Amino acid sequence: MSILFLPFDRTDVPGPVRELVPAATLERWCGADRSASRPRLVVATAGHTDTGTGGTWTAVALVTARPHTASVKIVGAAGEPTAIDAVIEAIAADAVESGAVQLKWEGEPAGSAHGFVPMSPPLPSGPGTGTQATGLVRWLVPDVTLHPTPYYAQTTLVSCGAVTALSAAAAVTGDDLTLDADGEVAFWQEATNHPACEPVGLGVALARRHPELAVTVALDTDRPVILEHLDGQERDWRAALQRESRRAAADLGIPVEAERLRLPDLAGAVRAGTGALLLIDLTLMRGLPFPHWVRCTGTAGDTVVLDDPSVDPALGESWVDGHLLPVGVADLDAMAAFGAGGYRGAVLVRRRSNS
């Protein structure tokens, strides 16, 4: 048996794939433009092949990987059970060689379990949570520490900060995450700098909502942030709101630390149970030069594990992609720099010592 790794083009599906993969599954594989996530076919062939693509195809899987992450996703697999087993192990070996620490499986698995465990289902929420109900994960490194909550996808384009803040609070307090669209938008209204949530205002809103938590803001600039696209009066009134947020932080005793947060220090704090919201630039991971909040929910090997509240079904993503997403420290260091000068913003959340 030979294993082949081939690029996948949804407009030019090889004949053997059409023979092996059920029509409904193939429709799902081809129904989204997965090109941004390096889609590949992993094929088991029987018999000798001189061309590298000949022989009898006995199993095939479709795999993707979001850029600059340490995760590989199996979109699906089909074929003979023993051949599928060989394909899955080849995918795992290739993932390890590429530096990935995690293998996910979206949808019902075929073949044997291969060390996969079910992921907790998402809460009813935004795009990507309603059509793909099952996700499994296999960690490829032994040292994994997680402080998860059920996945919740933001229901608006601007409420990533609200989702990550409320999820972090639930993780730190140990409470169940009971979040819906109304609660999400209501908290966004408390925290927003119109339309984004800047770090100090987000920290103030979280501290007011959860006085039992100790909140720290890390922001290595004293200039107004996330306003690069604005000027004149549109910039000025939002800058005034940010100055008011700093006054409110001082009144509430929220530290605003100006020293740049080091990612290894962040990883250590998250591993120990600190809730962390991190402002990132989406250019590397999504090709979009936009600010975005993610929640750091654990560590795996030398990666920080995130919950990204935004996934795009048009790109073939579901909640499985956004939940428990590992990113290497070097990649996350590059992502966690936004705007002029590449400032870094984060909100850290801990239990108060007397609570």
Side-chain angles (χ1 to χ4, degrees), residues 199-200 216-221 255-261 277 293 344-348:
V200 181
T216 299
V217 175
L219 180 60
D220 60 341
T221 180
V256 180
E257 298 180 348
E259 184 176 353
R260 190 173 185 83
L261 179 64
L277 321 179
W293 286 99
R344 176 163 296 160
V347 180
L348 306 179

Side-chain angles (χ1 to χ4, degrees), residues 223-263:
R223 296 178 288 106
V225 296
I226 322 183
L227 300 180
E228 287 78 11
H229 60 298
L230 300 170
D231 55 22
Q233 291 185 345
E234 285 294 301
R235 179 185 176 89
D236 291 346
W237 69 266
R238 291 174 174 85
L241 290 178
Q242 292 193 27
R243 290 192 293 271
E244 176 56 33
S245 290
R246 285 189 177 257
R247 286 191 288 269
D251 291 343
L252 291 168
I254 299 172
V256 180
E257 298 180 348
E259 184 176 353
R260 190 173 185 83
L261 179 64
R262 297 177 62 253
L263 266 296

Side-chain angles (χ1 to χ4, degrees), residues 66-267:
R66 190 189 274 195
H68 294 276
T69 71
S71 177
V72 173
K73 184 179 77 171
I74 300 172
V75 181
E80 299 175 3
T82 56
I84 291 177
D85 290 347
V87 164
I88 300 312
E89 288 310 313
I91 293 170
D94 181 74
V96 170
E97 185 175 350
S98 71
V101 301
Q102 178 198 77
L103 189 60
K104 288 176 176 172
W105 197 319
E106 182 182 77
E108 293 295 335
S112 58
H114 289 275
F116 287 89
V117 296
M119 300 169 70
S120 296
L123 296 177
S125 48
T129 59
T131 59
Q132 193 64 46
T134 304
L136 300 100
V137 62
R138 170 180 168 181
W139 295 97
L140 304 173
V141 293
D143 49 335
V144 179
T145 302
L146 301 175
H147 307 282
T149 60
Y151 181 78
Y152 184 97
Q154 64 193 82
T155 63
T156 80
L157 291 174
V158 294
S159 51
C160 52
V163 171
T164 55
L166 295 173
S167 298
V172 172
T173 61
D175 296 336
D176 291 338
L177 179 60
T178 55
L179 185 56
D180 58 22
D182 290 342
E184 170 192 351
V185 172
F187 187 85
W188 170 82
Q189 288 179 309
E190 297 173 24
T192 186
N193 195 223
H194 301 279
C197 292
E198 51 87 14
V200 181
L202 186 57
V204 166
L206 187 56
R208 285 172 171 165
R209 177 68 70 91
H210 288 280
E212 75 277 16
L213 297 178
V215 174
T216 299
V217 175
L219 180 60
D220 60 341
T221 180
D222 58 3
R223 296 178 288 106
V225 296
I226 322 183
L227 300 180
E228 287 78 11
H229 60 298
L230 300 170
D231 55 22
Q233 291 185 345
E234 285 294 301
R235 179 185 176 89
D236 291 346
W237 69 266
R238 291 174 174 85
L241 290 178
Q242 292 193 27
R243 290 192 293 271
E244 176 56 33
S245 290
R246 285 189 177 257
R247 286 191 288 269
D251 291 343
L252 291 168
I254 299 172
V256 180
E257 298 180 348
E259 184 176 353
R260 190 173 185 83
L261 179 64
R262 297 177 62 253
L263 266 296
D265 294 340
L266 174 67

Side-chain angles (χ1 to χ4, degrees), residues 23-69:
T25 300
L26 188 59
E27 183 178 0
R28 181 168 70 88
W29 289 14
C30 298
D33 181 4
R34 304 174 191 269
S35 57
S37 296
R38 198 166 66 98
R40 294 183 296 165
L41 296 174
V42 185
V43 179
T45 67
H48 176 71
T49 171
D50 294 327
T51 64
T53 58
T56 301
W57 291 24
T58 55
V60 61
L62 175 62
V63 298
T64 59
R66 190 189 274 195
H68 294 276
T69 71

